[in-house]
Amino acid sequence: MMKTLLVASLLLLAPLTASAEDNQCHIATQGSSPVAQACKKGGRKAAGAEMKTLVKTAKAHGTTFKCTSCHTAMDDLTLKKNARDDFKKLIAAQ
């Protein structure tokens, strides 16, 4: 009975742990870019929202960026080789 209760408790807590880890930034952890600042304040969700704002502003200024141009996988946001250079272009397009 105790063992079943323990397993059930762990299963219920696992999504809470995963979601807390999901919001932790792993890429924009340093620097003074708007994305790094958003990451420091609100984690991965805030950094993602800031990236969307930057992409939207760049598009309004005539430069188009797509998430998949820099990221190989959107679930863990793995960067492609060109991502850091393209990020500099994205910031310049603001």
Side-chain angles (χ1 to χ4, degrees):
M1 179 68 174
M2 258 329 240
K3 200 176 207 180
T4 304
L5 184 58
L6 177 62
V7 171
S9 297
L10 290 174
L11 289 174
L12 287 173
L13 292 176
L16 296 176
T17 304
S19 65
E21 289 178 4
D22 286 345
N23 197 43
Q24 183 178 2
C25 291
H26 298 281
I27 298 171
T29 58
Q30 298 177 350
S32 60
S33 75
V35 178
Q37 295 304 310
C39 194
K40 289 174 189 172
K41 291 179 184 175
R44 186 174 171 180
K45 290 178 184 177
E50 183 63 28
M51 283 295 296
K52 288 179 183 179
T53 299
L54 293 173
V55 168
K56 186 176 180 179
T57 301
K59 184 176 181 179
H61 291 143
T63 307
T64 302
F65 291 90
K66 294 184 180 186
C67 300
T68 55
S69 297
C70 295
H71 296 280
T72 58
M74 295 310 297
D75 57 341
D76 65 0
L77 300 172
T78 303
L79 296 177
K80 294 182 178 180
K81 291 180 182 180
N82 60 294
R84 297 202 188 275
D85 288 334
D86 286 353
F87 182 74
K88 291 175 187 173
K89 294 174 188 173
L90 176 64
I91 295 298
Q94 300 307 300

